Amino acid sequence: MNISLPDALKAFVDHQVSARGYGTSSEYVRELIRKDQDIQRLREMLLDGAGSAATAPADGGYFRGLRDRVTQRTGA
């Protein structure tokens, strides 16, 4: 896949590649695409959650329980 960019955008990408430690502009673009995929997945999960039936309230006890479950799984 080839992508044509105006000079200003190419300069921006080149700067990001050198400043952020990417080896090539392709690595930078791949990272942007992965981040966009993550954002889309998160948006879908949020919309699914918003459309689902309500369960228990998300109060302090709920979050303590989540922390306890994570602590047990990670052994922290």
Side-chain angles (χ1 to χ4, degrees), residues 6 9 12 15 23-24 26 30 36-37 39 42 50 52 61 68 73-74:
L9 287 179
F12 176 81
H15 175 69
T24 65
S26 292
R30 280 192 295 269
D36 192 43
Q37 287 176 325
I39 290 168
L42 177 59
S52 66
D68 292 344
R73 286 184 186 172
T74 62

Side-chain angles (χ1 to χ4, degrees), residues 2-69:
N2 292 320
I3 299 173
S4 298
L5 298 174
D7 290 340
L9 287 179
K10 183 176 180 340
F12 176 81
V13 169
D14 290 343
H15 175 69
Q16 295 302 307
V17 168
S18 63
R20 298 171 82 185
Y22 293 100
T24 65
S25 58
S26 292
E27 287 179 21
Y28 176 66
V29 171
R30 280 192 295 269
E31 182 67 19
L32 291 176
I33 292 169
R34 285 186 197 103
K35 287 181 181 181
D36 192 43
Q37 287 176 325
D38 290 344
I39 290 168
Q40 287 184 21
R41 274 190 231 110
L42 177 59
R43 182 178 294 126
E44 289 170 6
M45 289 188 300
L46 289 170
L47 290 173
D48 287 346
S52 66
T55 57
D59 57 9
Y62 172 79
F63 289 105
R64 277 191 296 280
L66 285 177
R67 277 192 296 278
D68 292 344
R69 286 180 17 213

